[in-house]
Amino acid sequence: MKQQLETIRQEALAALSGAADQQELENLRVKYLGKKGELTAVLKQMGKLSAEERPIMGQVANAVRAEIEETLEKAKTALAAKAMEERLKAEAIDVTIPGEEVALGHQHPMNMVLQEIKDMFVGMGYQVVDGPEVELASYNFTRLNIEDGHPSRDRSDTFYFTDDDSVLLRTQTSPMQIRYMENHKPPLCMLAPGRVFRKDEADATHSPMFHQIEGLVVDENITMGDLKGALTTVMRKIYGEDSVMRFRPHHFPFTEPSCEMDMQCHKCHGTGEVDGQVCSTCHGEGWIELLGAGMVHPYVLENCGIDPEKYSGFAFGMGLERMAMGRLRINDLRLIFDNDVRFLSQF
Ligand code: PHE
């Protein structure tokens, strides 16, 4: 019997040390220590032993069981540690490998220029406001002193929603002057950027939808000098301190006097020619039109409940696309709306 136990011991220890995984260990535990295991089988024969032999064999059997159990535990721990190490190795991440580069987008060039312009006016105390694109004809025209029958009200130029022409897509941001003056009393300083709509065929300089930035300042003693000062300051900041500006008389129903502001062409420096060819940037004009402006018409102030005897103001409206084209040297308006990344990524 002692020999049997010794054989079991040796076999068990050898098998345990060679076990490859936890399952195999479990199988070995059952095989040697289980109820129907080899060791139990031997112990069942104890009854056949003599009274003197029994305790001695009992001791040996217990020692063998204890040794097998201990070895089993050790093997379990060792296998678990090995498995963990292998898993860690397999799942290891090399955090020092450079990551894949993600292509980052950026603001649309139009937004970049808009932001730049807004920042400048905000710095001068203007409040930036937003207004409806679907507008009433009374705001878009009538209260701006644009009477019935005026050519700009023509159905061939304006998108109307109703048969009586009372609701439309705003053709300019100037209705924001009225909306602002309805709710604010002078002194006031407003900037209203936004989309406007006109029935224009798209070409290099026209689009049925474009953006304007309206400005309005009303206070006591506001003069044309304030208008020129404010606009010249901003345009020089945008186009460079050495850029040359001019104000040219014009007509708008809602300003009096009215003017347009031009910048000398940066390409031909006002000559209208480059290398003997007509300048492509200003089409030979020598000047680039930047905006329309003027002193707010007394009728318009009156229409908003502001006393024109006490207050005066100036207003201006610039085309954002035109500003962006000049600022970023873009030669075709349609590129701005195409959103081709090859174009956008240049800015
Ligand atoms: N609303 C005019 C236009 O669209 C521009 C303008 C605005 C002129 C404000 C004078 C004052 O052409």
Side-chain angles (χ1 to χ4, degrees):
M1 183 173 262
K2 195 170 177 196
Q3 189 51 52
Q4 260 181 309
L5 286 171
E6 179 56 23
T7 306
I8 291 174
R9 190 185 80 89
Q10 281 177 10
E11 270 182 30
L13 296 189
L16 286 172
S17 71
D21 56 35
Q22 301 285 356
Q23 186 54 51
E24 209 177 322
L25 283 181
E26 176 58 15
N27 293 345
L28 289 172
R29 187 189 67 75
V30 175
K31 180 174 182 206
Y32 292 106
L33 306 175
K35 269 189 201 152
K36 292 176 184 163
E38 292 185 17
L39 198 57
T40 317
V42 174
L43 289 175
K44 275 181 185 157
Q45 299 166 32
M46 291 280 264
K48 293 178 194 160
L49 294 176
S50 64
E52 302 90 66
E53 273 181 316
R54 214 175 288 153
I56 301 170
M57 270 312 139
Q59 247 180 4
V60 175
N62 279 338
V64 169
R65 168 176 280 276
E67 197 177 350
I68 294 175
E69 276 175 351
E70 197 187 319
T71 308
L72 180 74
E73 274 318 303
K74 276 188 189 152
K76 263 191 191 170
T77 318
L79 269 183
K82 204 176 138 209
M84 174 61 88
E85 199 176 309
E86 272 168 11
R87 206 176 127 196
L88 287 177
K89 229 186 253 168
E91 291 178 3
I93 296 170
D94 183 351
V95 292
T96 65
I97 293 175
E100 252 178 61
E101 228 177 284
V102 179
L104 259 195
H106 58 68
Q107 265 197 328
H108 191 280
M110 286 281 293
N111 255 316
M112 286 157 65
V113 174
L114 175 60
Q115 199 53 50
E116 213 174 298
I117 295 172
K118 280 205 290 198
D119 280 351
M120 279 177 226
F121 280 102
V122 166
M124 298 196 298
Y126 287 63
Q127 188 188 10
V128 179
V129 293
D130 210 3
E133 291 168 6
V134 175
E135 187 53 285
L136 297 172
S138 58
Y139 286 87
N140 195 83
F141 295 129
T142 318
R143 293 172 74 180
L144 283 166
N145 199 33
I146 304 174
E147 71 239 11
D148 286 348
H150 189 277
S152 69
R153 285 180 177 247
D154 203 287
R155 290 196 142 211
S156 60
D157 295 327
T158 305
F159 294 102
Y160 286 103
F161 286 100
T162 52
D163 288 338
D164 65 356
D165 294 356
S166 62
V167 184
L168 45 77
L169 283 175
R170 66 178 175 190
T171 61
Q172 49 182 356
T173 44
S174 298
M176 286 307 291
Q177 292 184 34
I178 309 291
R179 289 190 173 273
Y180 197 77
M181 283 190 281
E182 267 184 346
N183 295 313
H184 298 79
K185 292 301 151 217
L188 55 86
C189 248
M190 170 215 84
L191 195 76
R195 266 191 279 257
V196 300
F197 307 83
R198 292 182 193 175
K199 281 191 184 170
D200 281 328
E201 294 279 338
D203 64 21
T205 52
H206 292 86
S207 157
M209 187 283 292
F210 58 103
H211 296 78
Q212 285 188 333
I213 304 174
E214 193 81 10
L216 174 71
V217 173
V218 181
D219 197 357
E220 290 178 41
N221 304 317
I222 296 289
T223 70
M224 196 85 183
D226 297 309
L227 181 159
K228 290 176 76 172
L231 293 176
T232 307
T233 304
V234 168
M235 292 304 166
R236 289 222 170 111
K237 281 229 174 76
I238 295 174
Y239 292 111
E241 289 302 327
D242 55 351
S243 50
V244 181
M245 311 292 173
R246 78 173 180 192
F247 289 86
R248 185 167 40 76
H250 200 76
H251 170 77
F252 297 104
F254 39 93
T255 48
E256 181 59 36
S258 303
C259 62
E260 281 193 327
M261 184 183 189
D262 300 333
M263 177 178 66
Q264 196 173 77
C265 179
H266 47 79
K267 190 133 174 230
C268 64
H269 303 286
T271 62
E273 272 180 31
V274 180
D275 302 332
Q277 302 272 345
V278 174
C279 176
S280 59
T281 302
C282 64
H283 307 290
E285 295 288 322
W287 295 88
I288 298 167
E289 191 191 309
L290 294 177
L291 53 83
M295 300 306 291
V296 182
H297 198 291
Y299 287 176
V300 174
L301 291 175
E302 253 169 26
N303 285 342
C304 301
I306 293 174
D307 180 5
E309 295 297 327
K310 185 164 180 214
Y311 294 104
S312 55
F314 68 81
F316 58 86
M318 52 178 122
L320 178 57
E321 282 79 5
R322 178 162 295 204
M323 299 289 296
M325 286 170 81
R327 178 80 178 79
L328 304 173
R329 308 279 155 95
I330 298 166
N331 57 19
D332 193 316
L333 179 68
R334 288 164 293 192
L335 289 168
I336 293 176
F337 301 116
D338 280 349
N339 280 337
D340 185 326
V341 274
R342 290 169 300 181
F343 168 74
L344 296 176
S345 59
Q346 295 173 56
F347 304 100

Coordinates of all heavy atoms in Angstrom, one line a residue, residues 178 180-189 218-219 301 303-307 311:
I178 N -34.8 99.7 -39.2 CA -36.1 100.0 -38.6 C -36.4 99.2 -37.4 O -36.8 99.7 -36.4 CB -37.2 99.7 -39.7 CG1 -36.9 100.4 -41.0 CG2 -38.6 100.1 -39.2 CD1 -37.0 101.9 -41.0
Y180 N -34.4 97.8 -35.4 CA -33.6 98.2 -34.2 C -34.1 99.5 -33.6 O -34.2 99.6 -32.4 CB -32.1 98.3 -34.6 CG -31.2 98.3 -33.4 CD1 -30.8 97.1 -32.8 CD2 -30.6 99.5 -32.9 CE1 -30.0 97.1 -31.7 CE2 -29.7 99.5 -31.8 CZ -29.4 98.3 -31.2 OH -28.6 98.2 -30.2
M181 N -34.4 100.5 -34.4 CA -34.8 101.8 -33.9 C -36.2 101.7 -33.3 O -36.6 102.5 -32.5 CB -34.8 102.8 -35.0 CG -33.4 103.3 -35.3 SD -33.3 104.8 -36.4 CE -33.6 104.1 -38.0
E182 N -37.0 100.7 -33.7 CA -38.3 100.5 -33.0 C -38.1 100.1 -31.5 O -39.0 100.4 -30.7 CB -39.0 99.3 -33.7 CG -39.9 99.6 -34.8 CD -40.7 98.4 -35.3 OE1 -40.3 97.3 -35.0 OE2 -41.7 98.6 -36.0
N183 N -37.0 99.4 -31.3 CA -36.8 98.9 -29.9 C -35.7 99.6 -29.1 O -35.5 99.3 -27.9 CB -36.5 97.4 -30.0 CG -37.7 96.6 -30.5 OD1 -38.8 96.8 -30.1 ND2 -37.4 95.8 -31.4
H184 N -35.0 100.5 -29.8 CA -33.9 101.1 -29.1 C -33.9 102.6 -29.3 O -34.2 103.0 -30.5 CB -32.5 100.6 -29.5 CG -32.3 99.2 -29.2 ND1 -32.8 98.2 -30.0 CD2 -31.6 98.5 -28.2 CE1 -32.5 97.0 -29.5 NE2 -31.8 97.2 -28.4
K185 N -33.7 103.4 -28.3 CA -33.7 104.9 -28.5 C -32.2 105.3 -28.5 O -31.4 104.7 -27.9 CB -34.5 105.5 -27.4 CG -36.0 105.2 -27.4 CD -36.6 105.7 -28.7 CE -37.8 104.8 -29.2 NZ -37.9 104.6 -30.6
P186 N -32.0 106.4 -29.2 CA -30.6 106.9 -29.3 C -30.1 107.3 -27.9 O -30.9 107.7 -27.0 CB -30.7 108.1 -30.2 CG -32.1 108.3 -30.6 CD -32.9 107.3 -29.9
P187 N -28.7 107.2 -27.6 CA -27.7 106.9 -28.6 C -27.7 105.4 -28.9 O -27.8 104.6 -28.0 CB -26.4 107.3 -27.9 CG -26.7 107.3 -26.4 CD -28.2 107.6 -26.3
L188 N -27.6 105.1 -30.2 CA -27.5 103.6 -30.6 C -26.5 103.4 -31.6 O -26.2 104.2 -32.5 CB -28.9 103.1 -31.0 CG -29.7 103.9 -32.1 CD1 -29.2 103.3 -33.4 CD2 -31.2 103.7 -31.9
C189 N -25.9 102.2 -31.6 CA -24.8 101.7 -32.4 C -25.1 100.3 -32.8 O -24.9 99.4 -31.9 CB -23.5 101.8 -31.6 SG -22.4 103.0 -32.1
V218 N -27.0 106.3 -34.4 CA -27.8 107.5 -34.2 C -27.5 108.1 -32.8 O -27.5 107.4 -31.8 CB -29.3 107.1 -34.3 CG1 -30.2 108.4 -34.1 CG2 -29.6 106.4 -35.6
D219 N -27.3 109.4 -32.9 CA -27.1 110.1 -31.6 C -27.3 111.6 -31.9 O -27.5 112.0 -33.1 CB -25.7 109.8 -31.1 CG -25.5 110.2 -29.6 OD1 -26.5 110.8 -29.0 OD2 -24.5 110.0 -29.0
L301 N -36.0 108.3 -39.6 CA -36.0 108.5 -38.2 C -37.4 108.7 -37.7 O -37.9 108.1 -36.7 CB -35.1 109.7 -37.8 CG -33.6 109.6 -38.1 CD1 -32.9 110.9 -37.8 CD2 -33.0 108.5 -37.2
N303 N -40.2 107.7 -39.0 CA -40.9 106.5 -39.1 C -40.7 105.6 -37.9 O -41.5 104.6 -37.6 CB -40.5 105.7 -40.4 CG -41.1 106.3 -41.6 OD1 -42.1 107.1 -41.5 ND2 -40.5 106.0 -42.8
C304 N -39.6 105.8 -37.2 CA -39.3 105.0 -36.0 C -39.5 105.8 -34.7 O -39.0 105.4 -33.6 CB -37.9 104.5 -36.1 SG -37.6 103.5 -37.5
G305 N -40.2 106.9 -34.8 CA -40.4 107.7 -33.6 C -39.2 108.4 -33.0 O -39.2 108.7 -31.8
I306 N -38.3 108.7 -33.8 CA -37.1 109.4 -33.4 C -37.1 110.8 -34.0 O -37.3 111.0 -35.2 CB -35.8 108.7 -33.7 CG1 -35.7 107.4 -33.0 CG2 -34.5 109.6 -33.4 CD1 -34.6 106.5 -33.4
D307 N -36.9 111.8 -33.1 CA -37.0 113.2 -33.5 C -35.8 113.6 -34.4 O -34.7 113.8 -33.9 CB -37.1 114.1 -32.3 CG -37.2 115.6 -32.7 OD1 -37.3 115.9 -33.9 OD2 -37.3 116.4 -31.7
Y311 N -32.0 114.4 -33.3 CA -31.0 113.3 -33.6 C -30.6 113.2 -35.0 O -31.4 113.6 -35.9 CB -31.5 112.0 -33.1 CG -31.7 111.9 -31.6 CD1 -33.0 111.9 -31.1 CD2 -30.6 111.7 -30.8 CE1 -33.2 111.8 -29.7 CE2 -30.8 111.6 -29.4 CZ -32.1 111.7 -28.9 OH -32.2 111.5 -27.5

